[in-house]
């Protein structure tokens, strides 16, 4: 499985296990879950990815997945802030 697929599957697993529609059911449970760890690992694995391999037609979807994965990874810190702009690592 390539990094792009791993990221998509990690996000899908987190979505299926911890979200009701667009709402997180339990932020604490998500942030300590295997799905959260999988998303963080998938983000880290992108360091080895050759971004030239991303098909031009799929680039927008890929980068949206990266953005969403970072939001999920940083959700615990975000939950403590009033705004995304208050989250230093974001």
């Amino acid at each position: 499985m390539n990094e792009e697929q791993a990221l998509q599957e990690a996000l899908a697993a987190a979505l299926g296990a911890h979200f009701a529609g667009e709402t997180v059911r339990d932020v604490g449970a998500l942030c300590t879950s295997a799905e959260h760890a999988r998303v963080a690992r998938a983000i880290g694995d992108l360091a080895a990815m050759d971004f030239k391999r991303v098909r031009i037609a799929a680039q927008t979807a890929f980068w949206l997945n990266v953005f969403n994965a970072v939001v999920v990874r940083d959700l615990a810190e975000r939950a403590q802030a009033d705004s995304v702009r208050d989250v230093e690592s974001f």
Side-chain angles (χ1 to χ4, degrees), residues 2 11 33-34 36 38 46 55-56 59 64 72 75 90:
N2 67 34
L11 282 171
S33 71
H36 184 271
R38 186 175 171 191
L46 293 177
R55 298 174 323 276
I56 290 173
Q59 285 181 3
L64 286 172
V72 168
L75 198 57
F90 195 82

Side-chain angles (χ1 to χ4, degrees), residues 5-63:
Q5 289 172 312
L7 181 66
Q8 282 180 309
E9 290 182 12
L11 282 171
L15 181 66
H18 298 282
F19 286 77
E22 295 179 4
T23 304
V24 178
R25 288 189 284 250
D26 182 344
V27 172
L30 170 60
C31 293
T32 59
S33 71
E35 293 84 13
H36 184 271
R38 186 175 171 191
V39 168
R41 190 170 45 254
I43 292 168
D45 290 346
L46 293 177
M49 184 174 168
D50 177 7
F51 292 98
K52 294 176 187 170
R53 286 189 344 213
V54 179
R55 298 174 323 276
I56 290 173
Q59 285 181 3
T60 300
F62 170 75
W63 288 111

